[in-house]
Amino acid sequence: MEKTGADALPLTVNSTEKQETICIFGTGDFGKSLGFKMLQCGYSVVFGSRNPQMSSLLPRGAEVLNYSEAASKSDIIILAMHREHYDCLTELVDPLNGKILVDVSNNRKINQYPESNAEYLAQLVPGAHVVKAFNTISAWALQSGTLDASRQVFVCGNDSKAKHRVMDVARTLGLTPLDQGSLVAANEIENYPLQLFPMWRLPFYLSSVLCVFFFVYCVIREVIYPYVNEKTDTTFRLAISIPNRVFPITALVLLALVYLPGVLAAILQLYRGTKYRRFPNWLDRWMLCRKQLGLVALGFAFLHVIYTLVIPIRYYVRWRLRNGTVTQALANRDNPFSTSTAWLNDSYLALGILGFFLFLLLGITSLPSVSNTVNWREFRFVQSKLGYLTLVLCTAHTLMYGGKRFLSPGILRWSLPSAYILALIIPCTVLVMKLILIMPCIDRTLMHIRQGWERSSQHSKSAMNGKSDI
Ligand SMILES: Cc1cc2nc3c(=O)[nH]c(=O)nc-3n(C[C@H](O)[C@H](O)[C@H](O)COP(=O)(O)OP(=O)(O)OC[C@H]3O[C@@H](n4cnc5c(N)ncnc54)[C@H](O)[C@@H]3O)c2cc1C
Ligand SMILES: NC(=O)C1=CN([C@@H]2O[C@H](COP(=O)(O)OP(=O)(O)OC[C@H]3O[C@@H](n4cnc5c(N)ncnc54)[C@H](OP(=O)(O)O)[C@@H]3O)[C@@H](O)[C@H]2O)C=CC1
Ligand code: HEM
Ligand SMILES: [Fe+3]
């Protein structure tokens, strides 16, 4: 970071315009990065520091003064220091009077203090206009310029003029300010960067649970069972064979779980006869993380494809092939070509390949650069219609893979069926429910409901109550 800081050069500024001066208190990582970016964008920067002489490696072109001198140079003062050190500002109440104080701080834990840092600052320096901003931008992102994912700056404050000046600064830095209202919102803004992938949490837990369950299930069936019954060691299956069951099964179940909430929502709307009532919280949350669920599923499908690619070069597979041929030759047995088996085999592979292709297409259209180029109808078409087609193809791939063995009793081990049979339960249920929902009579009612029609006035009354409950 220091390297880039030393290289910093203000870009050419329109010389007829007077440069606006911004003051930054604190010469730590964030202060330096922000100062560097501001100089680049044409501002004059004055740093306020406890030890102006000691401060080194600051961006070239910036001035360093003590706190009160620095404060006198600008109306806008950005506090690039931790909340724990805000108490030193109490000595500066006079120089800070009437200034815009920008609080950029984050905490280490959610709700670490009873009040938000910005509100605490407003209490410490009552004469200043406190604005919360920039806390979601990292020092690293400011310097490296890779801000694509985190351009948004949440801004809040009680003084609207002050807030708008800070929003203008954010815009000049190439960021996207989002007005979040008064300082009361600061608490939420401060908690935001502390949440670790909130939308990814449910998909992550779900996929972990599915992987662990199916892994243990397959180990029981394919490693422990042969050991107990035939004393054979099949532990080598732990490396490829079993993962290549667990990963596609997880992908298939997760894909079905992407489309299950839509079906449940439709059933709920049909049952209630109105769309004007909120879904239960768990369904709402589930619907909101479908994208993440789908992308995790795609990841597992990818793993399955890679594992499948190595099947022909596996020692075990080549050994079985060679051994089968030799045994057959020694026994002088014939192994006639079975057209039906060839069909079954090629079909399940073709279905898998097509399913994977559509799966990828769903993933590609969810990239912002792609989804921005299609309108919402096109996007819904791909996500909903092609999404169901993906589920159909992947489910058919698995059903065909089971093929003739599907329901033969020989497949049971300790009464446990093959893992893929369990994996098919949720996808088949979703597809059957969807099939019922798209029957013309039901589909028509659902369409009406979604266009705002309600089954009875009693329902609309309860709907109003439902809404006022929220
Ligand atoms: C690889 C991959 C990537 C994905 N990427 C994305 C993504 O980028 N973005 C994304 O959103 N999803 C994404 N998904 C998830 C999924 O494809 C979408 O959520 C998809 O739209 C779900 O289709 P659906 O038909 O089940 O749901 P929807 O078409 O959303 O319908 C579900 C329910 O919503 C309600 N509803 C729909 N329309 C209305 C209406 N007009 N009025 C009232 N209620 C209505 C109904 O209750 C309906 O039953 C992805 C999935 C995968 C596998
Ligand atoms: N680093 C990041 O990516 C981000 C940081 N932030 C927030 O920005 C603020 C600053 O973070 P960061 O720059 O990383 O922190 P640093 O620890 O690197 O810098 C903090 C600075 O605060 C000043 N300071 C004032 N009083 C004291 C004191 N009593 N003891 C120690 N330092 C003091 C110091 O400057 P001096 O020596 O000049 O007085 C010091 O350099 C924090 O509130 C943080 O939450 C927000 C978003 C991202
Ligand atoms: C390029 C695409 C694909 C190819 C070539 C392919 C190939 C295969 C093969 C060879 C098997 C048998 C594995 C074995 O013998 O152990 C298999 C099984 C399976 N595949 Fe695929 N597949 C593809 C895509 C998919 C996709 C997209 C899904 C769904 C998300 C999927 C789900 C499954 C499932 C659930 C099984 C059964 C796992 C088991 O119990 O053994 N496949 N696939
Ligand atoms: Fe650094």
Side-chain angles (χ1 to χ4, degrees):
M1 257 178 238
E2 284 71 17
K3 178 174 61 70
T4 16
D7 293 343
L9 274 178
L11 294 183
T12 33
V13 192
N14 189 346
S15 54
T16 54
E17 262 179 50
K18 190 180 172 305
Q19 292 179 5
E20 191 179 355
T21 303
I22 306 269
C23 170
I24 299 174
F25 276 11
T27 54
D29 278 340
F30 196 63
K32 266 187 277 189
S33 308
L34 201 60
F36 168 69
K37 187 80 190 168
M38 288 188 161
L39 284 164
Q40 269 196 335
C41 294
Y43 288 103
S44 291
V45 175
V46 179
F47 280 99
S49 171
R50 290 166 301 167
N51 312 304
Q53 292 79 26
M54 303 276 289
S55 306
S56 57
L57 297 162
L58 286 175
R60 210 184 307 165
E63 212 179 335
V64 194
L65 303 169
N66 65 35
Y67 286 141
S68 60
E69 283 171 344
S72 68
K73 301 269 180 175
S74 168
D75 302 338
I76 303 183
I77 298 159
I78 297 178
L79 297 179
M81 52 169 77
H82 294 277
R83 171 193 169 122
E84 289 74 14
H85 305 138
Y86 281 0
D87 43 12
C88 69
L89 299 172
T90 47
E91 296 157 20
L92 299 165
V93 166
D94 281 338
L96 296 181
N97 200 23
K99 305 271 178 178
I100 299 172
L101 281 190
V102 185
D103 175 297
V104 301
S105 62
N106 283 314
N107 292 326
R108 284 182 307 278
K109 284 196 304 229
I110 287 186
N111 298 328
Q112 190 177 352
Y113 296 101
E115 76 288 81
S116 69
N117 299 351
E119 287 166 307
Y120 169 66
L121 179 62
Q123 285 165 20
L124 278 183
V125 197
H129 307 298
V130 174
V131 176
K132 177 93 210 177
F134 300 118
N135 67 312
T136 50
I137 303 292
S138 80
W140 178 81
L142 275 171
Q143 290 214 349
S144 62
T146 47
L147 280 170
D148 283 347
S150 52
R151 255 177 217 286
Q152 291 182 339
V153 177
F154 299 109
V155 184
C156 74
N158 292 338
D159 185 281
S160 120
K161 246 187 175 162
K163 190 162 59 178
H164 282 103
R165 280 196 63 190
V166 175
M167 287 171 73
D168 284 339
V169 173
R171 249 176 243 121
T172 312
L173 298 185
L175 304 168
T176 314
L178 295 170
D179 190 344
Q180 300 291 295
S182 74
L183 219 50
V184 175
N187 191 42
E188 202 173 313
I189 298 179
E190 283 168 16
N191 284 340
Y192 182 77
L194 297 174
Q195 290 168 340
L196 211 58
F197 304 116
M199 289 300 189
W200 291 89
R201 205 170 293 156
L202 181 69
F204 175 76
Y205 286 142
L206 259 175
S207 47
S208 310
V209 168
L210 283 170
C211 278
V212 170
F213 172 79
F214 279 106
F215 187 79
V216 172
Y217 190 90
C218 291
V219 168
I220 293 174
R221 262 184 57 94
E222 292 171 42
V223 179
I224 300 180
Y225 179 89
Y227 184 76
V228 171
N229 277 284
E230 298 146 25
K231 288 276 170 291
T232 44
D233 177 3
T234 54
T235 43
F236 73 92
R237 289 187 147 266
L238 292 173
I240 290 187
S241 306
I242 292 181
N244 199 23
R245 287 195 200 292
V246 174
F247 295 146
I249 286 173
T250 306
L252 183 65
V253 176
L254 288 179
L255 182 64
L257 290 178
V258 169
Y259 292 93
L260 183 56
V263 171
L264 294 179
I267 294 175
L268 211 58
Q269 288 179 332
L270 279 169
Y271 172 74
R272 291 168 164 178
T274 176
K275 70 165 184 176
Y276 296 112
R277 271 172 72 191
R278 247 186 74 161
F279 294 135
N281 261 343
W282 57 268
L283 187 56
D284 251 352
R285 249 183 294 149
W286 191 354
M287 301 258 274
L288 284 177
C289 70
R290 287 182 294 178
K291 171 179 178 170
Q292 288 75 6
L293 215 48
L295 291 174
V296 173
L298 177 59
F300 281 106
F302 237 117
L303 274 175
H304 167 51
V305 172
I306 296 169
Y307 272 101
T308 299
L309 284 179
V310 302
I311 288 178
I313 55 170
R314 289 180 66 200
Y315 164 76
Y316 164 68
V317 174
R318 284 184 298 162
W319 174 86
R320 227 173 49 166
L321 210 65
R322 246 182 287 129
N323 213 39
T325 315
V326 172
T327 317
Q328 195 186 317
L330 288 178
N332 208 8
R333 259 193 293 122
D334 207 11
N335 188 5
F337 182 80
S338 158
T339 312
S340 68
T341 307
W343 260 111
L344 209 58
N345 198 275
D346 278 7
S347 314
Y348 98 77
L349 288 174
L351 287 166
I353 292 168
L354 291 175
F356 185 63
F357 170 73
L358 289 185
F359 221 139
L360 273 182
L361 208 63
L362 288 181
I364 290 169
T365 48
S366 76
L367 294 173
S369 53
V370 179
S371 61
N372 286 344
T373 63
V374 295
N375 67 35
W376 69 268
R377 273 204 67 195
E378 293 163 339
F379 185 75
R380 282 271 318 258
F381 172 79
V382 173
Q383 290 296 333
S384 188
K385 300 282 188 301
L386 294 191
Y388 267 105
L389 189 57
T390 313
L391 184 58
V392 169
L393 289 172
C394 292
T395 308
H397 165 66
T398 314
L399 276 167
M400 284 270 197
Y401 160 74
K404 293 175 190 160
R405 297 172 289 158
F406 202 80
L407 288 176
S408 73
I411 214 88
L412 296 181
R413 291 182 185 171
W414 282 331
S415 324
L416 300 176
S418 295
Y420 71 87
I421 295 183
L422 295 191
L424 281 166
I425 296 173
I426 299 179
C428 289
T429 314
V430 172
L431 289 177
V432 169
M433 289 202 288
K434 183 69 180 175
L435 211 62
I436 297 172
L437 286 175
I438 56 172
M439 285 188 338
C441 52
I442 298 181
D443 192 42
R444 219 177 308 127
T445 318
L446 196 59
M447 283 289 280
H448 277 165
I449 290 174
R450 288 189 182 162
Q451 283 161 3
W453 174 82
E454 290 183 276
R455 195 182 294 134
S456 67
S457 54
Q458 200 161 11
H459 256 111
S460 52
K461 257 192 225 140
S462 61
M464 301 295 276
N465 294 342
K467 265 202 276 191
S468 58
D469 284 343
I470 300 162

